[in-house]
Amino acid sequence: MHHAQKLNEVIVKKSQEAKLVLLNMPGPPKNHDANALLQNNQTRPMENSLYQNYPFFADIQVMIFLGFGCLLAFFRHYGFGGMAFNFLIATFTIQWAILVQGFFQFYYDGKIHLGVLNLINAEFACAVVLISFGAVLGKTSPVQLLIMALLEIPVFGVTEWAVVKYLKINDAGGSILIHIFACYFGLGVTFVLYRPSLNEGHPKESTSYQSDLLSVMGTLFLWVFWPSFNSALTFKGDDQHRAILHTFIGLSASTITAFALSSMLSKNGKISMADVQNVTLAGGVTVGASVDMMISPAAAYVLGILGCIACMLGYKYLSPFLARRLRLQDQCGIHNLHGLTGLISSLAGICAILLATEETYGPSLYQTFSHRAPPEGDPLLAELQELIPDLEAGLGRTAREQALFQVAAVFGTIAVAAVGGLLTGVVLKLPYLASPSDEICFDDELFFNVPPDYSCVNDPIVSPARLTE
Amino acid sequence: MHHAQKLNEVIVKKSQEAKLVLLNMPGPPKNHDANALLQNNQTRPMENSLYQNYPFFADIQVMIFLGFGCLLAFFRHYGFGGMAFNFLIATFTIQWAILVQGFFQFYYDGKIHLGVLNLINAEFACAVVLISFGAVLGKTSPVQLLIMALLEIPVFGVTEWAVVKYLKINDAGGSILIHIFACYFGLGVTFVLYRPSLNEGHPKESTSYQSDLLSVMGTLFLWVFWPSFNSALTFKGDDQHRAILHTFIGLSASTITAFALSSMLSKNGKISMADVQNVTLAGGVTVGASVDMMISPAAAYVLGILGCIACMLGYKYLSPFLARRLRLQDQCGIHNLHGLTGLISSLAGICAILLATEETYGPSLYQTFSHRAPPEGDPLLAELQELIPDLEAGLGRTAREQALFQVAAVFGTIAVAAVGGLLTGVVLKLPYLASPSDEICFDDELFFNVPPDYSCVNDPIVSPARLTE
Amino acid sequence: MHHAQKLNEVIVKKSQEAKLVLLNMPGPPKNHDANALLQNNQTRPMENSLYQNYPFFADIQVMIFLGFGCLLAFFRHYGFGGMAFNFLIATFTIQWAILVQGFFQFYYDGKIHLGVLNLINAEFACAVVLISFGAVLGKTSPVQLLIMALLEIPVFGVTEWAVVKYLKINDAGGSILIHIFACYFGLGVTFVLYRPSLNEGHPKESTSYQSDLLSVMGTLFLWVFWPSFNSALTFKGDDQHRAILHTFIGLSASTITAFALSSMLSKNGKISMADVQNVTLAGGVTVGASVDMMISPAAAYVLGILGCIACMLGYKYLSPFLARRLRLQDQCGIHNLHGLTGLISSLAGICAILLATEETYGPSLYQTFSHRAPPEGDPLLAELQELIPDLEAGLGRTAREQALFQVAAVFGTIAVAAVGGLLTGVVLKLPYLASPSDEICFDDELFFNVPPDYSCVNDPIVSPARLTE
């Protein structure tokens, strides 16, 4: 008896301590689901949060490592760089983000608390860095990339923390915090790293038949699992269900539109693989900010088409302009796929917020838009809690107030990201960071031991001169 | 009080309306799981149908986009076509199928209702079109393919609706509705699009080392997730469990057999990659129609072997015969992988139905074979419902009656599919659809902006003539 | 009434029989979840074990077929061999393992019982064979590989059965039973199959640009889903949650370290793709034996780094030494990635066992370390069961006793595996097994009908001589 009693006392004490901490801590749910000590006779193993989060985490893992990895391997002589640097940067970033986000958001009781949910948050931060990476692909050394990740994550972490804690916005798919932040940070970096000679084009800045196929595979991985990305952090139940449907619809709309526009905007009516690789994904971003709301499938479809058109025109007309006039050499066109679409998405989110009514949402309105729920002590809260027992007290914001906070978040994010990117770019210009010279950009040979067939692989023509040497 | 009361009234009214509609509607379960308005204080978010369906949906997504995409990229100069047209056609088809199936099956209360379950249904319809696509791969323009999808989906939708609503068959893995339909539709199309000059072989109608590897990857994606495909629409619980086990066993049996036969039937004893890419999958189709029944692992194994043998012999002897004598140029051999195996599967399904007894299934018999359940009002129904509370009234069919309906479904499906395919083929012969001429079949250059290495990529020999020009 | 009564009687009788069998049978849970007859009005379909196991099974399928398949395709002229033989061997092995493991572990009531859980067990056995395959890649015929699998599985099955039934160790990630066994079995085989001429290097024993990329994709599939592998057979709930977190952390640590060491240990400071493909995965093995314990994220991180260092130094210094001095030609370096890391993991597991206290684990201690639970009849058991109702009686082992059993398992496994491997190697040397001669090792042309571009594909230089012929 004595032994078990003692054990029991330990657990009761620990649990009470943990609960005390929980009560005193605002913010996201606290994770004790991986701690053996805090399991007791009320614990039901299958209700561990693991089982709600792990499937989404696994999908996002595929997107980060295989999706981005293959997509970024599109240069004919920079496949190793695209795929392996993506692997390195992603791994580093996730670890670093666990610490930074942990410090800002999951730190209590003297420790950073860790669960699969935190890994999902860290993978989102990782997506930010990988998007920014797209702007400088092929023109940076791994040391520079690591430093970029090292600096971008804290800037992102602070922004995220401020937006989540103070502005409290609705942005399930991360259009503002992930896509817009990543885009303007990346543009800031590439602005400082401007290389005038690359504006004339670089002999290795092209794809090969195999690299194009590999890159399309990356696109398909991203396309297939994007609904998991956009819905991973929504409320469970109908919110998550809507997020998945809207993302799927948005992506479908933008894919069809991308094929049509690619052929129509090309001189010879042919489809460009670069469009298949990038523009098809625009719809996933444009539905992001309103993905869990009752925007209706039709609106998701329209958002997909709008995002695709903006993205396509961006690649066609805006990117060359930015490169020549504004020193913004955006290697993967992240401003088209993440910037323009992110802005459209934010705008759509604001509209959806302004149009949201109790007639459409029922009392769930106060869950999806949790900051519009009545504050603690408001008698309305108690009434609503009879309808939805789990409803938490909010801030009593009106739709307009919420919309203004969204606007503030967009501009705030752009400003912080751009300044952060510029400063990071300055750091990356420091000497001794092994920045590749202009001639050997987009070239695996600089950083990798390449296989014997490298020198002639993917070469457009087997030069007769070399052969007759 | 007033506010919440009003809200509550709205919800109660809406819910009642929805329930009224539900009561008056026969057919599959009605989906409100993505509608915020219909959530109330009895809603348990984790019981949303999303969580039962989404994992299977995600697996099928990988099959459709990555599995088919890579598998169809096996021609050495048609990798872009295989992968990108698959992407385009799949996306278009899913959208179109949501509307068509929605109109026929999920339309009530003035709206098409949408949930992840409908997306699964639409992806099944998409699989139909992609299989048919295999028959005409490399010989059609994207416009022709889109028109094919545009016409095939309504024919499929009507067939599916008629079979589901009136014939009410057992076909969990879609052997009849998906594989047989897709095969005979595709053969109908390719019959009309017959190109005599291609019977002599085409210089670009061959694979390359890389395209073969990519295609095997596609096979592996299909192989790995096929259990999810065959089990996505079964009853939950033991039925789905059996479907997964049987599919896995059938695939395993056909894979081993395919390797053995490929080596044995080849003149030099070597394995052919085309067999590895296609014949290994035959078992997944042959177990389809009986996949959720108590057929025993041994029967699933035998079905896998039989399907593999039929498929292999089809590729070896039947396909050349069909091409020369019957004008059926079946580019991917869909008649072997989906037609012959589908017929075997249907036959096996009929046997399994005839052999099904209460001794083997217990009262679950009337769930797996839901049309054999006693009809509404039968006293037996009430007794059975004591054993299985969820049991729904059926049609009181005997095993024989059910078997006859299955036979009717097979022949009906073949007839409708073949006629539909022939008519579609006629439409595809209309001018202005950019049909490629015989010389430039299997060639990406016609529809894509190809990278600079395209002209010599994958070429068997670097022609000295061209080099010394 | 009569009919349903009779039915009910059948079920009650069958259920009782089944329960009787269950009561009399020790060992893992008995699986009736795919049997329609044993479902009754208490059955809740969504509680079928399928839904707990299938997501993990699907992830492991991807690892086995796509992960190993792509990873093993790294030789420039042996891509078909790597990918297709992996497919063949995996399929064969899983089937064979279902029978062998079924006979030893899941055989009762005159039948082998089958559920998705058994498939997971069989896939683990499959991983064993595929790891051993790595030691002889490119030097064996498919017949030899099938015989190797045929012999390895029973040796593994007996070892597993003895260790699980008699030694009763903690090894959630399979560091001992999977990685160490596979490594020393493979080394035994390759020792007997020693080919002196290959020590000088073989002209085809190299990678190409495309094969390196494909192989990295395989690594990424393994990396992404490794947490599912290491956690598939742990207790549900917090144990599985920890297993996933620790595996992710271990892999992340070893990936970063691998990139750093690859560059630091190379003469020119460049990264080697072989390291990216292999050494990055070391952390997944090193955390294996203690993956479900409360080792803390920091310890998982350190284990990842240690495993990576050992693995990297093994590739650099130990493998060449073993090949020259000890006749151990280890083609994929499995001794580095699975042997050395497995030993480190076992040692870490022993430390974690010795350090485990009730203060850290609470009463869960007796679940994670189930053999330390008090035996049946011990009054302490009843007290603990008040805290954890599901707790099963154990053996009352102390931490030290458990540690000694772990040591015994390590040495026993190494001994059995090595002897088994040596004997298998002797069998593989029998004539008529189509063993390739030294000249045509690492060459797809021997076993496959290769496409027309094979002879010059991936060749480092297009020989002018051949062109001017």
Side-chain angles (χ1 to χ4, degrees), chain A residues 247-365:
Chain A
T247 309
F248 184 85
I249 292 166
L251 284 169
S252 298
S254 68
T255 302
I256 300 262
T257 316
F259 273 92
L261 287 182
S262 180
S263 172
M264 284 161 57
L265 294 180
S266 133
K267 279 174 210 157
N268 50 16
K270 294 186 182 180
I271 295 163
S272 153
M273 289 307 265
D275 298 332
V276 175
Q277 287 150 12
N278 294 290
V279 187
T280 51
L281 296 169
V285 184
T286 21
V287 296
S290 55
V291 79
D292 54 342
M293 304 176 190
M294 297 279 288
I295 57 171
S296 87
Y301 204 86
V302 171
L303 278 175
I305 292 174
L306 287 180
C308 178
I309 293 172
C311 181
M312 182 66 92
L313 296 178
Y315 273 104
K316 196 91 187 158
Y317 304 109
L318 193 56
S319 281
F321 172 81
L322 293 178
R324 273 184 221 144
R325 298 298 167 84
L326 299 183
R327 299 168 38 118
L328 288 165
Q329 293 168 326
D330 177 0
Q331 221 55 49
C332 297
I334 61 167
H335 186 251
N336 311 309
L337 184 49
H338 303 279
L340 295 175
T341 51
L343 292 172
I344 294 174
S345 181
S346 309
L347 196 64
I350 290 167
C351 294
I353 287 169
L354 291 174
L355 295 172
T357 60
E358 285 183 348
E359 278 66 41
T360 320
Y361 289 77
S364 303
L365 179 73

Side-chain angles (χ1 to χ4, degrees), chain A residues 208-209 217 223 228 237-238 240-242 252 256 259 268 270-271 294 301 358 363-364 383 386-387 460 462 464, chain B residues 1 3-4 11 33-36 41 48 51 54 65 77 79 83-84 95 116 444-445 447-449 453 456 467:
Chain A
S208 73
Y209 197 67
M217 283 190 73
W223 202 98
S228 295
D238 60 303
Q240 196 162 30
H241 205 146
R242 279 195 299 281
S252 298
I256 300 262
F259 273 92
N268 50 16
K270 294 186 182 180
I271 295 163
M294 297 279 288
Y301 204 86
E358 285 183 348
S364 303
E383 293 174 34
E386 276 175 39
L387 300 175
V462 183
Chain B
M1 190 72 177
H3 183 84
I11 303 151
D33 283 357
N35 190 339
N41 58 2
N48 196 297
Y51 303 105
Y54 186 60
F65 290 91
H77 281 109
M83 210 171 215
Q95 296 171 38
V116 167
D444 279 336
E445 206 161 7
F447 298 113
F448 292 91
N449 291 311
D453 69 333
C456 64
L467 287 166

Side-chain angles (χ1 to χ4, degrees), chain C residues 207-218:
Chain C
T207 65
S208 73
Y209 197 66
Q210 297 300 334
S211 74
D212 264 332
L213 283 171
L214 189 62
S215 190
V216 174
M217 281 190 75

Side-chain angles (χ1 to χ4, degrees), chain B residues 283-342:
Chain B
V285 183
T286 22
V287 296
S290 54
V291 78
D292 55 343
M293 304 176 190
M294 295 280 287
I295 57 171
S296 87
Y301 205 86
V302 171
L303 278 174
I305 293 175
L306 286 179
C308 177
I309 294 173
C311 181
M312 182 65 90
L313 296 178
Y315 273 104
K316 195 91 188 158
Y317 304 109
L318 193 56
S319 281
F321 173 82
L322 293 177
R324 274 185 219 143
R325 299 297 166 85
L326 299 183
R327 299 168 39 117
L328 289 164
Q329 291 169 327
D330 178 2
Q331 221 55 49
C332 297
I334 61 166
H335 186 251
N336 311 307
L337 184 49
H338 302 279
L340 296 175
T341 50

